[in-house]
Amino acid sequence: MTDQTTIPRHHHGDLRNALIEAGISLLEEGGLDALTLRKCAARAGVSHAAPAHHFDGLAGLRTAIAQEAFDRFAASMTAAAKAEGDSPRARLRGICRGYLEFGLKHRGLLETMFGVPAEDILQEGNGPEDAASYMILRDACAPFVPEGTQPEVIEFQVWSLIHGYTLLFVSGRLGCLAPERIEDGPFEQVMALLDRVGDTTVT
Amino acid sequence: MTDQTTIPRHHHGDLRNALIEAGISLLEEGGLDALTLRKCAARAGVSHAAPAHHFDGLAGLRTAIAQEAFDRFAASMTAAAKAEGDSPRARLRGICRGYLEFGLKHRGLLETMFGVPAEDILQEGNGPEDAASYMILRDACAPFVPEGTQPEVIEFQVWSLIHGYTLLFVSGRLGCLAPERIEDGPFEQVMALLDRVGDTTVT
DNA sequence: AAAGCAAACTTGACAGTGTAAAGTTGTCTC
DNA sequence: GAGACAACTTTACACTGTCAAGTTTGCTTT
């Protein structure tokens, strides 16, 4: 039960962040369906109508949670990019591994991040470049962009491959119904296709 | 308003299918959030409690809709496999194009198909092979499986790439916020990576 | 210190939703 | 024709999102 003595009535002080944190907790514990405005409010120790002063309804809260989750995801990807070595191939493999790790540990957050409308996530510009996490992907892909090829092509190849693998794997569609570790699926073998990204030799 | 004269009270005759069709209509029109038991019941011309005799709650209805959607998807993929020619590469490209077409035309259905728990979708066996649509993918990938490689590796490479691209594209994350046609994104260039699937030459 | 204003809540109400229980109607079998 | 059961309907309740009105708190001005 929330300790009401530490939270003054009518002026929480940092309710917006408290609601976002409460929402993240609910998503981590119970997935998408577990997130409700009233439950967030209860966890933050306020009435059910308090969130309305900080968010444009449940959709607004979800968007704010997605934005916070993207920040955490970007931080996670930054660390992952360095985890497997300094060569461009190793960095690329590292961020793909980090992507999947994030999905395994935070499935509810990942589903929220990619469930909110794209236009609510991006700022005024409308390209994916707005996202810090996308810039990490871009940096890692840059060494593999052949001359005369738009960088987006390579970036979208990598992103599609790892995003698709992550969603299919964590949702139990790749042979293991409830995967707990990366090794529960053929991650290394599937990601071998990354070695072909940017490869323009004729076959 | 539903024509009540054609549906006898207390014995609809084919209510289960009527509810599934109603659900599919609601998803096509308004996406995931538009699907509710009461709206399905209203469209089928019955009371709000009637679905309970055919489905295990809203989750049960969603699962049934997903199964019907997978059937339609498989039919769509079968047609797509033949659409671009008879060579193995053309067939593979064809089903990927068909996958994306399906996602563009039926975004709500695709999100439902991959949003229900995997264990509710599969029959007694728990591999993806249960799904008709997966067998189409398997057939198309078979020519590219190198000796000594498990077929799943190649299948998962292809599935991950097209599934990821489809979800990112239709949800507006690949540079075009509301894509209407495949040409609104760099599908052909991104899918060029398919030509590398199964390629074991040393680089 | 007091008054006024606005922010930041709370309280209460309503509509929509899912689910459960009890009742009613229609069909089938004996 | 009677009985049993399937296939509904009706009623009720809890949960949820949202809105409107009221209350409390903090800040600014006099």
Side-chain angles (χ1 to χ4, degrees):
Chain A
M1 181 187 290
T2 312
D3 180 3
Q4 301 284 27
T5 63
T6 64
I7 301 177
R9 287 162 62 89
H10 283 74
H11 203 280
H12 182 281
D14 193 23
L15 183 54
R16 187 175 196 282
N17 284 324
L19 290 166
I20 290 173
E21 285 302 325
I24 288 174
S25 294
L26 287 165
L27 284 162
E28 302 274 63
E29 289 160 27
L32 288 175
D33 292 334
L35 179 70
T36 76
L37 272 177
R38 289 191 186 225
K39 282 177 185 156
C40 286
R43 286 204 178 190
V46 293
S47 72
H48 60 274
H53 293 269
H54 299 274
F55 305 102
D56 197 8
L58 178 59
L61 173 60
R62 235 193 245 122
T63 297
I65 290 172
Q67 283 163 341
E68 171 64 25
F70 267 115
D71 288 348
R72 296 184 186 192
F73 179 61
S76 166
M77 299 303 286
T78 297
K82 302 168 187 161
E84 292 197 10
D86 282 340
S87 75
R89 288 291 176 196
R91 285 173 64 83
L92 192 62
R93 196 170 292 251
I95 72 172
C96 287
R97 178 175 279 270
Y99 203 110
L100 183 55
E101 285 277 8
F102 189 92
L104 271 171
K105 286 174 183 169
H106 308 290
R107 180 179 172 184
L109 292 191
L110 194 77
E111 288 175 340
T112 300
M113 286 156 67
F114 289 97
V116 299
E119 63 267 26
D120 292 348
I121 277 295
L122 302 171
Q123 313 301 79
E124 280 79 74
N126 60 11
E129 298 83 355
D130 280 342
S133 53
Y134 190 83
M135 297 317 295
I136 296 164
L137 175 70
R138 167 159 283 183
D139 288 345
C141 290
F144 304 102
V145 178
E147 192 151 8
T149 299
Q150 285 183 294
E152 288 82 8
V153 170
I154 302 303
E155 292 155 8
F156 293 174
Q157 284 178 342
V158 172
W159 193 11
S160 297
L161 185 67
I162 186 57
H163 187 71
Y165 186 86
T166 298
L167 293 190
L168 292 168
F169 182 63
V170 302
S171 67
R173 290 179 161 81
L174 297 184
C176 176
L177 273 179
E180 295 175 358
R181 309 169 310 132
I182 287 187
E183 293 75 15
D184 290 335
F187 173 76
E188 297 293 344
Q189 296 96 305
V190 173
M191 292 302 132
L193 192 56
L194 291 173
D195 293 338
R196 301 291 166 183
V197 165
D199 185 348
T200 55
T201 59
V202 176
T203 59
Chain B
M1 180 187 292
T2 312
D3 180 2
Q4 300 285 26
T5 63
T6 63
I7 303 176
R9 288 162 62 91
H10 283 76
H11 203 278
H12 181 282
D14 193 22
L15 183 55
R16 188 177 196 279
N17 284 325
L19 289 166
I20 290 172
E21 285 302 326
I24 287 174
S25 295
L26 287 164
L27 284 162
E28 302 274 63
E29 288 161 28
L32 288 175
D33 292 334
L35 178 70
T36 76
L37 274 178
R38 289 190 187 226
K39 282 176 187 155
C40 285
R43 287 203 178 190
V46 293
S47 72
H48 62 274
H53 294 270
H54 299 275
F55 305 102
D56 199 7
L58 178 60
L61 173 59
R62 235 192 244 123
T63 296
I65 289 173
Q67 282 164 341
E68 171 64 24
F70 268 115
D71 288 348
R72 296 183 186 193
F73 180 62
S76 167
M77 299 302 287
T78 298
K82 302 168 184 160
E84 292 197 10
D86 283 339
S87 76
R89 287 292 176 197
R91 286 173 63 82
L92 191 62
R93 196 170 292 250
I95 71 172
C96 287
R97 178 175 279 270
Y99 205 110
L100 183 56
E101 286 278 4
F102 190 92
L104 271 172
K105 286 175 185 168
H106 308 289
R107 180 178 172 183
L109 293 190
L110 193 77
E111 289 174 342
T112 301
M113 286 156 67
F114 289 97
V116 300
E119 61 268 25
D120 292 348
I121 279 293
L122 304 170
Q123 311 302 79
E124 279 78 74
N126 61 12
E129 298 83 355
D130 279 344
S133 54
Y134 190 84
M135 297 319 296
I136 296 164
L137 175 70
R138 166 157 285 182
D139 288 346
C141 291
F144 304 102
V145 179
E147 192 150 9
T149 300
Q150 285 184 292
E152 288 81 8
V153 170
I154 303 303
E155 292 155 8
F156 292 174
Q157 283 178 342
V158 172
W159 195 10
S160 297
L161 184 68
I162 187 56
H163 186 71
Y165 186 86
T166 297
L167 293 189
L168 292 168
F169 183 63
V170 301
S171 67
R173 290 179 161 82
L174 297 184
C176 176
L177 274 180
E180 295 175 357
R181 309 169 307 135
I182 286 186
E183 293 76 16
D184 290 334
F187 174 75
E188 298 293 346
Q189 298 96 304
V190 173
M191 292 301 133
L193 193 56
L194 291 174
D195 292 337
R196 301 292 166 182
V197 163
D199 185 350
T200 54
T201 59
V202 179
T203 60

